[in-house]
Amino acid sequence: MDIYQRLWRDYNSTEVGFMMPLYIARVYHNLNKPDKVRDYLDQALVFYREISQDEGRGQAVQLNAYQAMAAVYTVREEWDSAIDSLKSCLYLFARFDRKTPRRLSVITKMLNSVFVLQLKDFDRGIAFYEQFITDHPDHGLNPFIQRMAESLRRLKEKTQSAASANKQS
């Protein structure tokens, strides 16, 4: 474990070092050491929070930090905090100079998994995306964000129809 801790401490600006607190927490999870898992997740949040606020590191690193914070909150099943981190990530992404479809897809997939799979709250997801559009009128991302909201509406309708059909059976 010392080597992982040293990687994090000495090389946290590299991709491997950056993800090390989550990796260490996973190792402790596999070793069935919940206290250590909590400790490293707490340390990870402090680390990622600090980086997310450090504009000197650049937007790409800040985006990674927000995504990593969302991952920590997801592991902890702190869904509102995960959504807040992903909201910050998406809003920063909207200002990002080098937007990529892959990055946008990762962010929205993480959001949708929380809204749909964990919270089972389609309306909250729809409202989230509609709020983004309101907050960013005429933004180039809005057609994609609108499609996300529409997808959640259709999924909600299908889910309700299937539930209704199951009740009638």
Side-chain angles (χ1 to χ4, degrees), residues 91-158:
Y91 278 56
L92 177 61
F93 181 79
R95 298 188 316 267
F96 192 49
D97 297 333
R98 297 176 311 208
K99 294 175 187 66
T100 63
R102 182 178 177 276
R103 172 79 78 163
L104 181 60
S105 177
V106 167
I107 296 167
T108 56
K109 283 179 183 177
M110 289 177 77
L111 279 163
N112 290 342
S113 71
V114 173
F115 288 130
V116 175
L117 299 176
Q118 302 304 326
L119 298 176
K120 297 173 182 24
D121 192 344
F122 297 96
D123 292 331
R124 188 169 172 191
I126 294 164
F128 176 91
Y129 290 125
E130 288 175 344
Q131 186 62 52
F132 178 90
I133 292 168
T134 299
D135 292 344
H136 299 86
D138 303 319
H139 196 285
L141 294 177
N142 285 354
F144 179 83
I145 297 299
Q146 184 62 44
R147 284 194 303 275
M148 286 292 102
E150 289 301 321
S151 294
L152 290 180
R153 278 190 193 88
R154 284 192 303 277
L155 188 57
K156 176 184 174 184
E157 290 171 10
K158 287 180 183 180

Side-chain angles (χ1 to χ4, degrees), residues 39-104:
D39 181 47
Y40 274 91
L41 290 177
D42 290 344
Q43 289 181 53
L45 280 177
V46 170
F47 175 66
Y48 296 132
R49 216 178 270 126
E50 180 181 300
I51 291 172
S52 72
Q53 302 305 308
D54 184 356
E55 293 179 10
R57 297 233 190 186
Q59 289 178 324
V61 176
Q62 287 178 286
L63 287 169
N64 290 340
Y66 281 121
Q67 282 182 250
M69 283 182 3
V72 171
Y73 288 128
T74 300
V75 169
R76 296 170 93 164
E77 299 183 4
E78 295 176 15
W79 309 121
D80 289 336
S81 296
I83 290 168
D84 288 344
S85 293
L86 290 166
K87 177 181 180 182
S88 295
C89 189
L90 183 61
Y91 278 56
L92 177 61
F93 181 79
R95 298 188 316 267
F96 192 49
D97 297 333
R98 297 176 311 208
K99 294 175 187 66
T100 63
R102 182 178 177 276
R103 172 79 78 163
L104 181 60

